[in-house]
Amino acid sequence: MNDKELFETHKEAVYHYCLYMLRSRADAEDVCQEVFVKALVADRSGIEYVKAWLMKIAANECHSMLRRRTNGEIKEKRAFWLGMPLRSPQSVEQAYERIETSGEFEELLGRLKPKLREALLLYYMADLSTNETADALGVPIGTAKSRISRGLKSLKKLTEQESAMPEKEGEGRASSY
């Protein structure tokens, strides 16, 4: 497969994977570009599963980006909290409103453990087989299957928790006042 075919065949899968992992179009575009730069200069002669190999590069690049982002956020939060006067925590209503508005799928995905989220994204979003997913993750096939299964169970549990939350007073039922 030549360079143009490699890019044209796999660009969307790599980009979507990066987008779901990083939840930022700009970061996903940057990482996707880096993935293909690395892939184009690498020796691809001995690679059996090209898509899995690309996704492994993407996974590594996403992990690096997330690590850099997390380290930066920790530093920012620390600086922010050190400069803030002590105050009471947000009200129950504010906390509930924030949880209620963040029930989207991407948010739920973001609440999964990174290893589970990564396995689900590779398997379902990148449409890799379990063998290819295991190869991309660098784990045995049983581990990949387990992560996919546990990820689905976690998503189901999070979805059930979201739908089981009590309604806000005045919405969908009469107030007792």
Side-chain angles (χ1 to χ4, degrees):
M1 179 180 292
N2 69 35
D3 292 348
K4 185 175 180 179
E5 287 175 5
L6 177 78
F7 178 72
E8 291 298 325
T9 304
H10 301 291
K11 67 181 179 184
E12 287 185 38
V14 171
Y15 172 75
H16 283 88
Y17 172 78
C18 294
L19 183 60
Y20 276 96
M21 282 296 290
L22 301 170
R23 295 188 305 256
S24 160
R25 288 182 190 270
D27 288 346
E29 289 169 2
D30 290 345
V31 169
C32 189
Q33 182 178 4
E34 187 64 29
V35 167
F36 282 102
V37 166
K38 287 185 176 190
L40 296 177
V41 299
D43 176 21
R44 301 188 302 264
S45 60
I47 297 170
E48 187 176 354
Y49 301 115
V50 174
K51 188 174 182 182
W53 175 71
L54 282 171
M55 298 311 261
K56 187 172 189 168
I57 296 170
N60 290 336
E61 291 298 315
C62 287
H63 286 269
S64 294
M65 173 72 75
L66 289 170
R67 205 170 20 258
R68 286 191 303 271
R69 188 189 292 169
T70 301
N71 289 340
E73 287 175 1
I74 289 170
K75 289 176 184 176
E76 285 178 19
K77 286 178 184 176
R78 186 166 186 250
F80 176 78
W81 288 113
L82 287 174
M84 286 292 294
L86 294 176
R87 60 186 176 103
S88 62
Q90 73 182 149
S91 71
V92 174
E93 292 84 8
Q94 289 171 324
Y96 180 80
E97 222 172 290
R98 184 178 51 86
I99 291 168
E100 184 178 56
T101 58
S102 64
E104 297 176 4
F105 179 72
E106 287 182 42
E107 210 289 305
L108 292 175
L109 255 180
R111 289 168 49 189
L112 292 178
K113 292 180 181 176
K115 288 182 178 183
L116 302 181
R117 180 175 63 239
E118 184 176 22
L120 288 176
L121 289 173
L122 288 170
Y123 186 72
Y124 289 104
M125 302 304 288
D127 200 29
L128 296 183
S129 69
T130 48
N131 286 337
E132 292 171 325
T133 301
D135 188 50
L137 294 172
V139 298
I141 190 167
T143 303
K145 287 179 180 179
S146 172
R147 288 181 185 176
I148 293 166
S149 175
R150 286 181 18 233
L152 288 174
K153 286 178 185 173
S154 295
L155 268 180
K156 183 179 179 186
K157 185 177 180 181
L158 287 171
T159 304
E160 289 169 354
Q161 288 173 352
E162 288 287 323
S163 63
M165 293 182 80
E167 295 180 40
K168 282 174 59 172
E169 194 171 306
E171 288 184 10
R173 62 187 165 123
S175 176
S176 59
Y177 296 101

